[in-house]
Each structure stands twice: as C-alpha cells, then as structure tokens.
Coordinates of all heavy atoms in Angstrom, one line a residue:
F1485 N 0.9 -1.2 0.0 CA 0.0 0.0 0.0 C 0.9 1.2 0.0 O 1.7 1.4 0.9 CB -0.9 0.0 1.2 CG -1.9 -1.1 1.4 CD1 -1.6 -2.3 2.0 CD2 -3.1 -0.9 0.7 CE1 -2.6 -3.3 2.1 CE2 -4.1 -1.9 0.8 CZ -3.8 -3.1 1.5
F1486 N 0.8 2.0 -1.0 CA 1.6 3.2 -1.1 C 0.8 4.5 -0.8 O -0.3 4.7 -1.3 CB 2.2 3.4 -2.5 CG 3.2 2.3 -2.9 CD1 2.8 1.2 -3.7 CD2 4.4 2.3 -2.4 CE1 3.6 0.2 -4.0 CE2 5.3 1.2 -2.8 CZ 4.9 0.2 -3.6
G1487 N 1.3 5.3 0.1 CA 0.6 6.5 0.4 C -0.6 6.3 1.2 O -1.7 7.0 1.0
V1488 N -0.6 5.4 2.2 CA -1.8 5.1 3.0 C -2.0 6.3 4.0 O -1.0 6.7 4.6 CB -1.6 3.8 3.9 CG1 -2.8 3.6 4.8 CG2 -1.5 2.7 2.9
L1489 N -3.2 6.8 4.1 CA -3.5 7.9 5.0 C -3.8 7.3 6.4 O -4.8 6.7 6.6 CB -4.7 8.7 4.5 CG -5.1 9.9 5.3 CD1 -4.0 11.0 5.2 CD2 -6.4 10.5 4.8
L1490 N -2.8 7.6 7.3 CA -2.9 7.0 8.6 C -3.6 8.0 9.6 O -4.5 7.7 10.4 CB -1.5 6.7 9.2 CG -0.7 5.7 8.4 CD1 0.6 5.5 9.0 CD2 -1.5 4.3 8.4
E1491 N -3.2 9.3 9.5 CA -3.9 10.4 10.2 C -4.0 11.6 9.3 O -3.5 11.5 8.1 CB -3.0 10.7 11.4 CG -3.1 9.7 12.6 CD -4.3 9.8 13.4 OE1 -5.0 10.9 13.4 OE2 -4.7 8.9 14.0
N1492 N -4.5 12.7 9.7 CA -4.4 13.9 9.0 C -3.0 14.3 8.6 O -2.2 14.5 9.5 CB -5.1 15.0 9.7 CG -6.6 14.8 9.9 OD1 -7.2 14.1 9.1 ND2 -7.2 15.4 10.9
N1493 N -2.7 14.3 7.3 CA -1.4 14.7 6.8 C -0.3 13.7 7.1 O 0.9 14.0 7.0 CB -1.0 16.1 7.3 CG -1.9 17.2 6.8 OD1 -2.4 17.1 5.7 ND2 -2.2 18.2 7.7
V1494 N -0.6 12.5 7.6 CA 0.4 11.5 7.8 C 0.1 10.3 6.9 O -0.9 9.6 6.9 CB 0.3 11.0 9.3 CG1 1.3 9.8 9.5 CG2 0.5 12.1 10.3
K1495 N 1.1 10.1 5.9 CA 1.0 9.1 5.0 C 2.1 8.2 5.1 O 3.2 8.6 5.6 CB 1.0 9.7 3.5 CG -0.4 10.2 3.1 CD -0.3 10.6 1.6 CE -1.8 10.9 1.2 NZ -1.8 11.1 -0.3
A1496 N 2.0 6.9 4.8 CA 3.0 5.9 4.9 C 2.9 4.8 3.8 O 1.8 4.7 3.2 CB 3.0 5.3 6.3
D1497 N 4.0 4.1 3.6 CA 4.0 2.9 2.7 C 4.0 1.7 3.6 O 4.8 1.5 4.5 CB 5.2 2.9 1.8 CG 5.2 4.1 0.9 OD1 4.2 4.7 0.6 OD2 6.3 4.5 0.5
L1498 N 3.0 0.8 3.3 CA 2.9 -0.5 4.1 C 3.0 -1.7 3.2 O 2.6 -1.7 2.1 CB 1.5 -0.5 4.7 CG 1.0 0.6 5.6 CD1 -0.4 0.4 6.1 CD2 1.9 0.7 6.9
L1499 N 3.6 -2.7 3.9 CA 3.7 -4.0 3.2 C 2.9 -5.0 4.1 O 3.3 -5.2 5.3 CB 5.1 -4.5 3.1 CG 5.3 -5.9 2.5 CD1 4.8 -5.9 1.0 CD2 6.8 -6.2 2.5
S1500 N 1.9 -5.6 3.6 CA 1.0 -6.4 4.4 C 0.8 -7.8 3.9 O 0.9 -8.1 2.7 CB -0.4 -5.7 4.4 OG -1.4 -6.6 5.0
N1501 N 0.6 -8.7 4.8 CA 0.3 -10.1 4.5 C -1.1 -10.5 5.1 O -1.4 -11.7 5.3 CB 1.3 -11.1 5.1 CG 1.3 -11.2 6.6 OD1 0.7 -10.4 7.3 ND2 2.1 -12.1 7.1
Q1502 N -2.0 -9.5 5.3 CA -3.3 -9.7 5.8 C -3.4 -9.8 7.3 O -4.5 -9.6 7.9 CB -4.1 -10.8 5.1 CG -4.0 -10.8 3.6 CD -4.5 -9.5 2.9 OE1 -5.5 -8.9 3.4 NE2 -3.8 -9.1 1.9
K1503 N -2.3 -10.2 8.0 CA -2.3 -10.4 9.4 C -1.5 -9.3 10.1 O -1.8 -8.7 11.1 CB -1.8 -11.7 9.9 CG -2.8 -12.9 9.5 CD -2.2 -14.2 10.0 CE -3.1 -15.3 9.7 NZ -2.6 -16.6 10.1
L1504 N -0.3 -9.0 9.4 CA 0.6 -8.0 9.9 C 0.8 -7.0 8.8 O 0.7 -7.3 7.6 CB 1.9 -8.6 10.3 CG 2.0 -9.5 11.5 CD1 3.3 -10.2 11.7 CD2 1.6 -8.7 12.8
A1505 N 1.2 -5.8 9.1 CA 1.6 -4.8 8.2 C 2.9 -4.1 8.7 O 3.0 -3.8 9.9 CB 0.6 -3.7 8.0
I1506 N 3.9 -4.0 7.8 CA 5.1 -3.3 8.1 C 5.1 -2.0 7.5 O 4.9 -1.9 6.3 CB 6.4 -4.2 7.6 CG1 6.5 -5.5 8.3 CG2 7.6 -3.4 7.8 CD1 7.5 -6.4 7.7
T1507 N 5.3 -1.0 8.3 CA 5.4 0.4 7.8 C 6.8 0.7 7.5 O 7.7 0.6 8.4 CB 4.8 1.4 8.9 OG1 3.5 1.0 9.2 CG2 4.8 2.8 8.3
I1508 N 7.1 1.1 6.2 CA 8.4 1.4 5.8 C 8.8 2.8 6.3 O 8.0 3.7 6.2 CB 8.6 1.3 4.3 CG1 8.0 0.0 3.8 CG2 10.0 1.5 3.8 CD1 8.7 -1.3 4.3
S1509 N 10.0 3.0 6.8 CA 10.4 4.3 7.2 C 10.4 5.3 6.0 O 10.7 4.9 4.9 CB 11.9 4.2 7.7 OG 12.4 5.5 7.8
P1510 N 10.0 6.5 6.3 CA 9.9 7.5 5.2 C 11.2 7.8 4.7 O 11.4 8.4 3.6 CB 9.2 8.7 5.9 CG 9.3 8.5 7.3 CD 9.4 7.0 7.6
F1511 N 12.3 7.5 5.4 CA 13.7 7.8 4.9 C 14.3 6.6 4.1 O 15.4 6.7 3.6 CB 14.6 8.0 6.1 CG 14.0 9.1 7.0 CD1 13.5 8.7 8.3 CD2 14.0 10.4 6.7 CE1 13.0 9.7 9.2 CE2 13.4 11.4 7.5 CZ 13.0 11.0 8.7
A1512 N 13.6 5.5 4.0 CA 14.1 4.3 3.3 C 14.5 4.6 1.9 O 15.5 4.1 1.5 CB 13.1 3.2 3.4
F1513 N 13.7 5.3 1.2 CA 14.0 5.6 -0.3 C 14.4 7.0 -0.5 O 14.4 7.4 -1.7 CB 12.7 5.2 -1.1 CG 12.3 3.8 -0.8 CD1 11.1 3.5 -0.2 CD2 13.0 2.7 -1.3 CE1 10.7 2.2 0.0 CE2 12.7 1.4 -1.1 CZ 11.5 1.2 -0.4
N1514 N 14.8 7.7 0.5 CA 15.2 9.1 0.3 C 16.4 9.2 -0.6 O 16.6 10.1 -1.4 CB 15.6 9.8 1.6 CG 14.4 10.5 2.2 OD1 13.3 10.4 1.7 ND2 14.6 11.1 3.4
R1515 N 17.3 8.2 -0.5 CA 18.6 8.3 -1.3 C 18.3 8.2 -2.8 O 18.9 8.9 -3.6 CB 19.4 7.1 -1.0 CG 20.5 6.9 -2.0 CD 21.8 6.3 -1.5 NE 22.7 6.3 -2.6 CZ 23.4 5.2 -2.9 NH1 23.3 4.1 -2.2 NH2 24.2 5.2 -3.9
F1516 N 17.2 7.5 -3.2 CA 16.8 7.4 -4.6 C 16.3 8.8 -5.1 O 16.6 9.2 -6.2 CB 15.8 6.3 -4.8 CG 16.3 5.0 -4.5 CD1 15.8 4.3 -3.4 CD2 17.2 4.3 -5.3 CE1 16.3 3.0 -3.1 CE2 17.7 3.1 -4.9 CZ 17.2 2.4 -3.8
A1517 N 15.6 9.4 -4.2 CA 15.0 10.7 -4.5 C 16.2 11.7 -4.7 O 16.2 12.6 -5.6 CB 14.0 11.2 -3.5
T1518 N 17.1 11.7 -3.8 CA 18.3 12.7 -3.9 C 19.1 12.3 -5.0 O 19.7 13.3 -5.7 CB 19.1 12.7 -2.5 OG1 19.5 11.4 -2.2 CG2 18.2 13.2 -1.4
D1519 N 19.4 11.0 -5.3 CA 20.2 10.6 -6.4 C 19.5 11.2 -7.8 O 20.2 11.6 -8.7 CB 20.3 9.1 -6.6 CG 21.5 8.6 -5.7 OD1 22.2 9.5 -5.1 OD2 21.7 7.4 -5.6
H1520 N 18.2 11.1 -7.8 CA 17.5 11.6 -8.9 C 17.7 13.1 -9.1 O 18.0 13.6 -10.2 CB 16.0 11.2 -8.8 CG 15.1 12.1 -9.7 ND1 15.2 12.2 -11.0 CD2 14.2 13.0 -9.3 CE1 14.3 13.0 -11.5 NE2 13.7 13.5 -10.4
E1521 N 17.5 13.8 -8.0 CA 17.6 15.3 -8.1 C 19.0 15.7 -8.4 O 19.2 16.7 -9.1 CB 17.0 15.9 -6.8 CG 15.5 15.6 -6.6 CD 15.1 15.9 -5.2 OE1 15.9 16.4 -4.4 OE2 13.9 15.7 -4.9
E1522 N 20.0 15.1 -7.7 CA 21.4 15.6 -7.8 C 22.1 15.0 -9.0 O 23.0 15.7 -9.6 CB 22.1 15.3 -6.5 CG 21.6 16.0 -5.3 CD 22.2 15.5 -4.0 OE1 23.2 14.7 -4.1 OE2 21.7 15.9 -2.9
K1523 N 21.8 13.8 -9.4 CA 22.6 13.1 -10.4 C 21.8 12.7 -11.7 O 22.3 12.2 -12.6 CB 23.3 11.9 -9.8 CG 24.2 12.2 -8.6 CD 24.5 10.9 -7.9 CE 25.2 11.3 -6.6 NZ 25.5 10.1 -5.8
G1524 N 20.5 13.0 -11.6 CA 19.7 12.6 -12.8 C 19.4 11.1 -12.9 O 19.1 10.6 -13.9
F1525 N 19.5 10.4 -11.8 CA 19.3 9.0 -11.8 C 17.9 8.6 -11.8 O 17.0 9.3 -11.1 CB 20.0 8.4 -10.5 CG 19.8 7.0 -10.2 CD1 20.6 6.0 -10.9 CD2 18.8 6.5 -9.4 CE1 20.4 4.7 -10.7 CE2 18.6 5.2 -9.2 CZ 19.4 4.3 -9.8
S1526 N 17.5 7.6 -12.6 CA 16.1 7.1 -12.6 C 16.1 5.5 -12.5 O 17.1 4.9 -12.8 CB 15.5 7.5 -13.9 OG 15.4 8.9 -14.1
A1527 N 15.1 5.0 -12.0 CA 15.0 3.5 -11.9 C 13.6 3.0 -11.9 O 12.7 3.8 -11.6 CB 15.7 3.1 -10.6
I1528 N 13.4 1.7 -12.3 CA 12.2 1.1 -12.3 C 12.4 -0.3 -11.5 O 13.3 -1.0 -11.8 CB 11.7 0.7 -13.7 CG1 11.4 2.0 -14.5 CG2 10.4 -0.1 -13.6 CD1 11.1 1.7 -15.9
V1529 N 11.5 -0.5 -10.6 CA 11.6 -1.8 -9.8 C 10.3 -2.6 -10.0 O 9.2 -2.0 -9.8 CB 11.8 -1.5 -8.3 CG1 11.8 -2.8 -7.5 CG2 13.0 -0.6 -8.0
G1530 N 10.5 -3.8 -10.5 CA 9.3 -4.6 -10.8 C 9.7 -6.1 -10.8 O 10.8 -6.5 -10.4
N1531 N 8.9 -6.9 -11.5 CA 9.2 -8.3 -11.6 C 9.9 -8.5 -12.9 O 10.1 -7.6 -13.7 CB 7.9 -9.1 -11.5 CG 6.9 -8.8 -12.6 OD1 7.0 -7.9 -13.3 ND2 5.8 -9.6 -12.6
R1532 N 10.3 -9.8 -13.1 CA 11.2 -10.2 -14.3 C 10.5 -9.9 -15.6 O 11.2 -9.5 -16.6 CB 11.7 -11.6 -14.1 CG 12.8 -12.0 -15.1 CD 13.2 -13.4 -14.8 NE 13.8 -13.6 -13.6 CZ 15.2 -13.4 -13.3 NH1 15.9 -13.0 -14.3 NH2 15.7 -13.6 -12.2

C-alpha cells in the first residue's frame, strides 16, 4: 500500500500479509530521490 492515509497529513507505505503490516520508514527511499535530483538517476523496480 503506497501513500496510506494514517492520520491527517500522515501518509506511509505499508507491506501487508493480511495479518501484519510493516510500515516502511519514510527515509528508506530518500537516497533514490536525492540521487534523482542531484545526479539525474532514474530507476524502475518490478518483476522479471
């Protein structure tokens, strides 16, 4: 779940198996954003 609204103005990314949900740290993917802004880096993550 990307951009789940947890509270007013509080959004998070969750990975769930229907019993548990792990909330990913908002800083987990910051490096990719800064690499994109500073170095023009782009990426796609998906299946084979």
Side-chain angles (χ1 to χ4, degrees):
F1485 293 95
F1486 296 101
V1488 175
L1489 186 65
L1490 299 176
E1491 286 283 338
N1492 292 336
N1493 300 322
V1494 178
K1495 283 189 168 185
D1497 296 335
L1498 304 177
L1499 179 63
S1500 167
N1501 68 353
Q1502 308 306 321
K1503 292 182 179 180
L1504 291 174
I1506 294 172
T1507 305
I1508 308 302
S1509 169
F1511 308 108
F1513 302 111
N1514 271 5
R1515 165 146 183 232
F1516 298 109
T1518 56
D1519 277 356
H1520 157 62
E1521 292 165 6
E1522 295 171 8
K1523 303 168 189 169
F1525 175 80
S1526 297
I1528 298 172
V1529 181
N1531 59 354
R1532 189 177 294 273

